[in-house]
Amino acid sequence: MMGAFINEAIQSILNQTLKPDEIIVVDDGSEDDTKAVLKTIKEDTVTVMFQSNTGGASSARNVGISQAETDYILTLDADDIFEPTFMEKALQIMESDNNIAVVGCYYRGFIGNTIDAKIEKPLGGKLSDFLVKNNGLGCSLFRKKSWELVSGYDENMLYGYEDWEFWINILKEGQSMYIIEEPLFKYRTKKNSRDKNAIKYHDYELREYIFNKHKNVYLQNFESFAKHMLYQNSRLRNDKTKLLNATEVKIGKAILLPFRVIKSIFKK
């Protein structure tokens, strides 16, 4: 399946207004059609690496980044796309401020050639903004030395949220994530994506893992963490109340409908 999209993803990087020094593609045990497509790539700047699917997304990223000889790293999944100006704008921001560790952007979802009109707007920010939820974009620009400092992506996180944990790991050094307020990234939406499965089946265990791994960070930022949790709880309760009220109205209308029909018949 990914074979149908990989060329489009790579081309979105080759089309950048600021050309990359190298593109490293890590095939993590893909299906045969993807391997066949990758073997046809002849670009001088593109290196393709093949490995068995034993380590998951974190392992694949770590393998690729370890081979990179550049100061900056931009990650991209096989079925997603960057707009042509992202790298140029992101690098300019990164080089202008050493306190910025990561640069992401707004993004849109798409299926086939249909692009969602809704623009997703991650907030970025400092460590305190990432304690309760991932306020960043998984595919973003960062320094290789940041990756080295935190020993890369956590390869124990096989079911997802590895990018969220990676941002926490980087930002706990006191830096921040900057978000370009333009939709310069397109995320392919799928019925059964890894992200959706993580939320549906592994959300609690992944959050617990992140909390336990960074417990000192959470304790040091307890007040901020508690406020975020209280706010989230309040929103959930309000949403639940709205849903219950809407359901009650629908049930009420359904019950009244037969009486209105009967009343209408008697009028006749």
Side-chain angles (χ1 to χ4, degrees):
M1 185 67 176
M2 291 299 176
F5 308 128
I6 186 67
N7 273 331
E8 193 175 1
I10 293 173
Q11 198 60 48
S12 78
I13 300 300
L14 292 172
N15 289 341
Q16 292 292 306
T17 54
L18 177 66
K19 303 300 179 184
D21 293 326
E22 58 180 332
I23 300 172
I24 299 174
V25 181
V26 180
D27 179 88
D28 189 37
S30 68
E31 301 297 329
D32 290 340
D33 67 324
T34 301
K35 284 185 171 63
V37 171
L38 290 174
K39 289 176 180 178
T40 66
I41 298 174
K42 304 298 181 183
E43 295 287 341
D44 292 337
T45 55
V46 179
T47 300
V48 180
M49 304 175 64
F50 296 94
Q51 68 173 24
S52 60
N53 187 15
T54 57
S58 291
S59 173
R61 288 189 175 184
N62 286 338
V63 167
I65 295 170
S66 68
Q67 298 300 309
E69 298 181 358
T70 56
D71 293 330
Y72 297 94
I73 303 294
L74 176 64
T75 57
L76 178 63
D77 293 328
D79 52 355
D80 299 331
I81 298 170
F82 273 110
E83 297 293 344
T85 59
F86 175 80
M87 285 181 60
E88 182 177 0
K89 292 177 178 179
L91 186 60
Q92 185 178 10
I93 291 166
M94 186 82 81
E95 291 184 333
S96 69
D97 190 345
N98 287 328
N99 289 319
I100 295 174
V102 188
V103 178
C105 63
Y106 289 173
Y107 64 93
R108 284 191 173 105
F110 73 103
I111 301 175
N113 294 321
T114 303
I115 300 172
D116 194 339
K118 181 182 178 183
I119 299 176
E120 301 293 342
K121 301 178 179 180
L123 300 175
K126 297 183 179 181
L127 174 64
S128 59
D129 299 303
F130 284 77
L131 297 179
V132 175
K133 62 176 291 188
N134 186 357
N135 266 320
L137 175 64
C139 297
S140 298
L141 184 75
F142 54 89
R143 296 179 180 85
K144 185 176 180 180
K145 66 180 182 181
S146 295
W147 173 84
E148 293 170 339
L149 185 65
V150 302
S151 300
Y153 288 88
D154 189 333
E155 296 185 16
N156 291 316
M157 303 191 71
L158 297 174
Y159 300 112
Y161 293 7
E162 71 284 339
D163 54 327
W164 180 13
E165 191 278 330
F166 184 60
W167 302 143
I168 290 176
N169 225 359
I170 289 178
L171 299 180
K172 70 183 182 183
E173 300 300 322
Q175 295 175 296
S176 64
M177 177 188 288
Y178 185 96
I179 298 295
I180 300 172
E181 296 181 350
E182 298 178 57
L184 301 178
F185 180 74
K186 294 177 185 175
Y187 173 81
R188 191 179 301 275
T189 57
K190 301 177 287 293
K191 288 183 178 179
N192 294 310
S193 69
R194 185 166 175 269
D195 290 342
K196 288 179 180 178
N197 286 335
I199 294 170
K200 187 174 181 179
Y201 300 113
H202 304 286
D203 183 72
Y204 178 78
E205 65 184 272
L206 292 172
R207 288 176 180 273
E208 184 181 33
Y209 179 85
I210 292 173
F211 176 80
N212 287 330
K213 180 176 180 179
H214 299 286
K215 189 172 290 185
N216 288 339
V217 169
Y218 281 89
L219 292 176
Q220 290 167 8
N221 295 270
F222 177 76
E223 184 175 349
S224 176
F225 176 58
K227 286 181 178 178
H228 278 298
M229 289 299 295
L230 289 170
Y231 174 72
Q232 290 277 57
N233 182 260
S234 178
R235 282 194 60 182
L236 286 172
R237 290 175 66 87
N238 288 335
D239 290 343
K240 182 179 179 181
T241 300
K242 290 178 182 177
L243 181 61
L244 287 173
N245 289 340
T247 302
E248 288 174 359
V249 169
K250 289 180 180 178
I251 292 173
K253 287 181 177 179
I255 292 171
L256 287 173
L257 181 59
F259 291 99
R260 288 174 180 163
V261 171
I262 292 170
K263 185 178 179 181
S264 177
I265 291 172
F266 278 112
K267 280 186 176 180
K268 291 179 181 179

